[in-house]
Amino acid sequence: EIFELKAELNSDKKEKKKEAVKKVIASMTVGKDVSALFPDVVNCMQTDNLELKKLVYLYLMNYAKSQPDMAIMAVNTFVKDCEDPNPLIRALAVRTMGCIRVDKITEYLCEPLRKCLKDEDPYVRKTAAVCVAKLHDINAQLVEDQGFLDTLRDLISDSNPMVVANAVAALSEIAESHPSSNLLDLNPQSINKLLTALNECTEWGQIFILDCLASYTPKDDREAQSICERVTPRLSHANSAVVLSAVKVLMKFMEMLSKDLDYYGTLLKKLAPPLVTLLSAEPELQYVALRNINLIVQKRPEILKHEMKVFFVKYNDPIYVKLEKLDIMIRLASQANIAQVLAELKEYATEVDVDFVRKAVRAIGRCAIKVEQSAERCVSTLLDLIQTKVNYVVQEAIVVIKDIFRKYPNKYESVIATLCENLDSLDEPEARAAMIWIVGEYAERIDNADELLESFLEGFHDESTQVQLQLLTAIVKLFLKKPTETQELVQQVLSLATQDSDNPDLRDRGYIYWRLLSTDPVAAKEVVLAEKPLISEETDLIEPTLLDELICYIGTLASVYHKPPSAFVEGGRGVVHKSLPPRTASSESTESPETAPAGAPPGEQLDVVPTQGDLLGDLLNLDLGPPVSGPPLATSTVQMGAVDLLGGGLDSLMGDEPEGIGAPNFVAPPAAAVPASLGAPMGSGLNDLFDLTSGVGTLSGSYVAPKAVWLPAMKAKGLEISGTFTRQAGSISMDLQLTNKALQVMTDFAIQFNRNSFGLAPAAPLQVHAPLSPTQTVEISLPLSTAGSVMKTEPLNNLQVAVKNNIDVFYFSTLYPLHILFVEDGKMDRQMFLATWKDIPNENEAQFQIRDCPLNAEAVSSRLQSSNVFTVARRNVEGQDMLYQSLKLTNGIWVLAELRIQPGNPSFTLSLKCRAPEVSQHVYQAYETILKN
Amino acid sequence: MIGGLFIYNHKGEVLISRVYRDDIGSQAADSAVFSSSGPLQEEVVSKPEAFSGNRRNAVDAFRVNVIHARQQVRSPVTNIARTSFFHVKRSNIWLAAVTKQNVNAAMVFEFLYKMCDVMAAYFGKISEENIKNNFVLIYELLDEILDFGYPQNSETGALKTFITQQGIKSQHQTKEEQSQITSQVTGQIGWRREGIKYRRNELFLDVLESVNLLMSPQGQVLSAHVSGRVVMKSYLSGMPECKFGMNDKIVIEKQGKGTADETSKSGKQSIAIDDCTFHQCVRLSKFDSERSISFIPPDGEFELMRYRTTKDIILPFRVIPLVREVGRTKLEVKVVIKSNFKPSLLAQKIEVRIPTPLNTSGVQVICMKGKAKYKASENAIVWKIKRMAGMKESQISAEIELLPTNDKKKWARPPISMNFEVPFAPSGLKVRYLKVFEPKLNYSDHDVIKWVRYIGRSGIYETRC
């Protein structure tokens, strides 16, 4: 077949030739390999038939990369075509040339491109503008060297609006890969040009320009307002993308306007209708619009507060539209419209799609929490739904009723009986956990609470962690409320949790309860049955800083995913964090300094980021998945709180003799359990709680890892040591943190190192000035030298340490990061580097992959440099950045490195050459730590 | 920006594949298309290494995760292995745009719709056969309207001047013609070419509205809105400047400021437009400042504007349902429809769709007017009436026999929906004028023959029962 095509391609008849090329393209689309025909097809290129030419170009774009040498054959024709009198052909040539991603060709592309950028015909210029972006993608350096960026910038002042739009698009894209360079150089003059072009160019051009405008920060509120005034007409454009991009600009600049301004109110009013109109677009666009409206409603609820009805779900809406509408309905629910909303939600709860029904049921619960006046109606609606006995509806309802209880305690307990009837039908962990929580929380009002909980206990090990944890807590609560009848039950669950489970969370919680109950049941009661904080009314809000960032990305994928671009875009592109501009007044307008994001009164914010105190009470119920989805910060505060709470009591337990335990009215755990609980398992379990101390690395000098616990208090009779290594200004030190977790004072500290691979030794004695009293912590920096005696250790960077105090001598070992040994004069000169590289035998070369490192070559180089890894040379080979680096260890060993970085690919390849190849592995680890922290 | 564009048939075979950016993979698509025997996997495997890189992953990932997914599509945007896929479906053809960057999502979908419009304008229905027959044309179009993933001018009027199915013969074009093409494609008025001439200057205006309603069983309006379009078909010479006027409340109140008497008179007939959007030929800044709609129209048919109203809507029909469950195996349904417009007007193509439970075993229907039938495959009773005058009433009653089931789940009772067509605009919109000025040619506004037509159709017109 290929043979026949070959013959046809070489035929004299034009028609036949064209048909043959068509066939080739058809085969190509199908996926057949027709690259063998390359020379024959390229021969057809010299034709004045535009259609044939286009086909040949299409073929070229596909195969040039796999046949770079032959692709050169086409260059001549391209260059010739760029001079063609027909502007369509000139543009076609320059457009296609940019798509041929062969390095050799790009060199030939420069001249024609330069001409085309200044072509008399706007069609050619607009095509050339995009071509600069293409070329930049292949070879960024070349574009900068050739000065194309300046030419491109000049095109922003072009007389033709489409040329302007494409130049803006190209510049914006290039700017994304150079976040720091002020490529676009937006200033009031250039903004004015863009705004003028905005009125005249195609719908797509308007999008490019609006997206570019959104990245500009006006200097004051007057400028912001004048831009807004010129952008608002775009809200009536038929193209939804133009509308959304205009909304983005307005939402962003509005941030700078004072709320007292009349214009601010006008703008708010103007935004609502176009947003609603987006909902009559095709379903896919509706989806994009709804995801964005979801953000806008969170940022500025006032815009759409009267538009509830348009978000009512239609029976035939695609499921993705339904789910989004539901989400927005809940956000807009208020006292004014709650009756309507509830009626709708009840309707939805009878639909077919399981996900949608579940969400609708959950929404009813959220309404109850949000609008207090409606709570009663919501609860009765939920009870009605439970009566339907549809399994997933019942389970979902129970989960939300649990939340309602947490918001309005002691108000709706009458429904508990109904809930208990459905106990058997619950098969989802979340629902089971919720039900158990309810039983535990209201144990005193449920006569057979013990029986109910006991029934769950039978299959304890088959339950999910969530349920196990909840069951444990619930039974402890029950015990504290009705101690007489439930001793057996509580012992059963404690031993199940502590002895038979591998789950550290469960085990730890079991131990905490056990300790608590055995030390001081009164305190236990205060802790476990403490009054809980009410849950917040607004749930699953997007965290404010993320929300602000997403507002800057309205209309884009980020706003659809509700994730910042860095979460789904590879490489350096678009990873720059955007943020809303601060409000700046141009004149003397007196304005209250408002730091909280507009639209969110401070009170609401508190709810999103729970305070430490709140969480403390909540700590023991945390795994229920409270609807408060706090930022990561929350979890760390919880732990801190826990330490404060339990610290004293537990410390005494650890240091003390076993006889000390056992409160009078508590039946001690089985004998076997007592020593076990004091021994290793408990210790390791509790360690997690104490692993909190973390030092913050110094900013100058090489990278410093956070402090890790080297010697747990368990193993050292109450002395806990954590530490890390630093290197600063040529000296190494060991930063230690000593904590006394015993009950007695510690004095007489001393430290010694075992012989090690690099001769590390303390350069001064360990100086703890004052005696260390119980619960006290002291920070010490111990200078180290490398003059100690040397013995090769396994692993190479292992360090054995002995610490003595008045109580005993303790031993531990730790691994030090190799980069603390990289000396300051580790830079080799280039010649030397080359020679050494060649000199070291190839078998000494080791190759490693550094994965998921988002840095670019510059950042990598500078970061390594601060840890004394020096970049000797840098080259760009086939689009990859090659860094040649050297470093020297304290004992004079040189290590040479070649780091290969491909733009856009987060995996680097590291090749190391060293005369002592055994260090390579550790050097690689040092690279990893430096680059990833 | 868009990294690539693929068109698949319903089996997931690639019909068109155009890759714009390397990040999603470099070369054309895979798998057998033109052989009807399904994907030729062997052939794919035997391809050289360079030809089966990650680009195939992108193509395949979409096929496997979306087209062949067992579940119904949960989102039009899918992220698979850090690659985002946008898709729209036309009949059984899938169009997918692929990207690895944070693109403007709204723009991608708008572009995909536009792409469908352009293809439809060139070769009619978007079907597998048409796409296969026109693949060269489609590639040519894709080359023109999407450059490095950036949408370019995609107005069919302009495209048709230089992308033709016959193949353009560049040597026959004069220099003027060429530059005229390029200036049109890039120009301010990209949608109209110079030098159009008609012997008879004529224009047609269609006001097409679809009225949407969601009503509770008790007859309470839960939500109602009209989404309308003004479609214009113009055959005008030269570069005519047009001005369109309607009974927009804001405009009328502005004009009527002088004479209070007039305000009250005309105020009655004016309508409140919630929001409107315009074809790109309309000068938006002028609308924003003066609320006047002025433009130079494209030649032929185009959609001048879209609008939405929610106030004072004339609901042409009222549906009154009555569903009674008689025991566990029988349902009695009675539905009354009332027409609510001038008796002199006639509604057409009336269709009422009454959903029936899945376990329906038999249905008896009696209706006073039109024909009614139980359609088991659609789980509905469909009642059709050809014509109905205003202020009339008609009713249907049905007895539905049910099979006893042990399915605990209740029947969801989907709403009763309705279709119809009426010869007026339910929003109350009236065209007041459409003035045409062409300063260079010698015809005036009076010489233009103008036609105006109003059609109101049902959108989603539902009554819960």
Side-chain angles (χ1 to χ4, degrees), chain A residues 822-842:
Chain A
F822 298 176
V823 296
E824 275 67 20
D825 60 343
K827 180 152 187 171
M828 227 179 221
D829 80 71
R830 289 173 88 131
Q831 296 306 321
M832 176 85 165
F833 184 93
L834 268 175
T836 319
W837 184 272
K838 279 186 198 144
D839 199 17
I840 298 175
N842 274 340

Side-chain angles (χ1 to χ4, degrees), chain B residues 371-414:
Chain B
K371 279 178 193 163
K373 225 186 217 169
Y374 167 62
K375 295 197 172 166
S377 59
E378 295 166 36
N379 287 312
I381 299 167
V382 180
W383 176 25
K384 288 183 179 171
I385 305 168
K386 271 190 190 142
R387 250 173 244 104
M388 189 166 170
M391 305 316 262
K392 288 261 163 41
E393 172 174 330
S394 188
Q395 96 171 27
I396 183 172
S397 29
E399 266 185 34
I400 302 170
E401 309 259 343
L402 302 175
L403 289 170
T405 55
N406 42 15
D407 192 3
K408 263 197 204 154
K409 217 179 131 189
K410 256 176 61 188
W411 176 48
R413 281 206 187 183

Side-chain angles (χ1 to χ4, degrees), chain A residues 228-283:
Chain A
C228 286
E229 278 165 0
R230 293 178 70 178
V231 166
T232 34
R234 298 298 120 198
L235 293 174
S236 314
H237 202 286
N239 187 316
S240 312
V242 175
V243 176
L244 265 178
S245 290
V247 168
K248 166 164 57 191
V249 175
L250 296 175
M251 281 294 286
K252 196 177 165 189
F253 289 4
M254 202 188 243
E255 200 69 17
M256 300 181 68
L257 301 178
S258 157
K259 279 191 175 167
D260 321 326
L261 226 58
D262 285 345
Y263 183 68
Y264 181 87
T266 322
L267 203 53
L268 277 185
K269 267 192 218 119
K270 276 196 175 169
L271 275 171
L275 287 174
V276 173
T277 300
L278 291 176
L279 298 184
S280 38
E282 288 85 343

